[in-house]
């Protein structure tokens, strides 16, 4: 059974930083690309970023390009999202998601964590 | 970016009735479209992929159709537990989601 657990959310001031983590279990983590998806009242569900299974390629939505960095450690079955220069519009629930197909950025998502809340406010 | 527009925003129906939800893409996504269900306090759950393929464990009362730019999710014989938000998502390009439709029962 696939299990994804996010952590690291919290309240941060505009311009601040936060690092989210995701621990995965129940599947061959190192075989799968992984993604982060955000949900907010203003922007709905929004795909943010993808990392290839071996960590060699990352892709970002324009809204977070240059500010967020995705990484992974296959030896620990973990994925991180470093968020810098945070803005109020980055407020939302951040989900670690596993794609249906092991590779490729153009995916459906068959497993989601419970999410971690990020609030950017002064 | 491919924009997905869902309608109606809210649908209020009685148990046993049929729900028809629409998702329209700003450009063709071929058949690369999925539907998700989300209940309050939960993450989205994949219902259907590639227009009409139900995910494991999804009841047959959920069905999808369409191609190109116009897609439909039908829930026949609604049950109380079908009350939720429903989202469409395309993977023809980088993933994007519709704004959702709320089904109230």
């Amino acid at each position: 059974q696939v299990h994804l657990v996010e952590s690291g959310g919290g309240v941060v001031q505009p311009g601040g930083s936060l690092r989210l983590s995701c621990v995965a279990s129940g599947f061959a983590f190192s075989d799968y690309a992984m993604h982060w998806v955000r949900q907010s009242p203003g922007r709905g569900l929004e795909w943010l970023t993808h990392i290839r299974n071996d960590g060699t390629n990352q892709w970002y939505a324009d809204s977070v390009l240059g500010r967020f960095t995705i990484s992974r450690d296959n030896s620990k079955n973990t994925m991180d999202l470093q968020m810098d220069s945070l803005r109020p519009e980055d407020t939302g629930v951040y989900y670690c998601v596993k794609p249906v197909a092991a590779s490729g950025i153009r995916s459906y998502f068959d497993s989601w964590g419970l999410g971690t809340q990020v609030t950017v406010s002064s | 970016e491919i924009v997905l527009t869902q309608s109606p925003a809210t649908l209020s129906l009685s148990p046993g009735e049929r729900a028809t939800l629409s998702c329209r893409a700003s450009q063709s996504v071929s058949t690369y479209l999925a539907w998700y269900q989300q209940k309050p306090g939960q993450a989205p759950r994949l219902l259907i992929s590639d227009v009409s393929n139900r995910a494991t464990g999804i009841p047959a009362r959920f069905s999808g159709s369409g191609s190109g730019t116009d897609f439909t999710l039908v829930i026949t014989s609604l049950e109380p537990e079908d009350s939720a938000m429903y989202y469409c998502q395309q993977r023809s390009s980088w993933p994007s989601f519709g704004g959702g439709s709320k089904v109230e029962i």
Side-chain angles (χ1 to χ4, degrees), chain A residues 13-94:
Chain A
Q13 292 188 341
S17 297
L18 215 53
R19 189 176 185 89
L20 307 183
S21 292
C22 171
V23 179
S25 61
F27 67 105
F29 181 75
S30 61
D31 286 348
Y32 280 81
M34 292 292 291
H35 303 246
W36 287 94
V37 172
R38 174 172 69 192
Q39 186 169 30
S40 62
R43 301 170 73 109
L45 284 164
E46 181 183 13
W47 173 84
L48 296 181
T49 179
H50 151 282
I51 186 167
R52 189 170 159 170
N53 69 307
D54 59 5
T56 56
N57 254 349
Q58 305 87 32
W59 296 96
Y60 300 91
D62 288 345
S63 59
V64 303
L65 182 64
R67 301 187 299 123
F68 288 14
T69 303
I70 189 173
S71 61
R72 67 189 293 163
D73 185 341
N74 287 344
S75 69
K76 298 179 181 178
N77 282 12
T78 60
M79 176 176 68
D80 288 348
L81 183 65
Q82 176 66 40
M83 305 187 296
D84 299 318
S85 303
L86 283 162
R87 306 166 179 168
E89 56 264 35
D90 293 319
T91 294
V93 177
Y94 285 69

Side-chain angles (χ1 to χ4, degrees), chain A residues 1-13:
Chain A
Q1 180 183 358
V2 174
H3 203 212
L4 301 168
V5 179
E6 305 93 339
S7 62
V11 180
V12 61
Q13 292 188 341

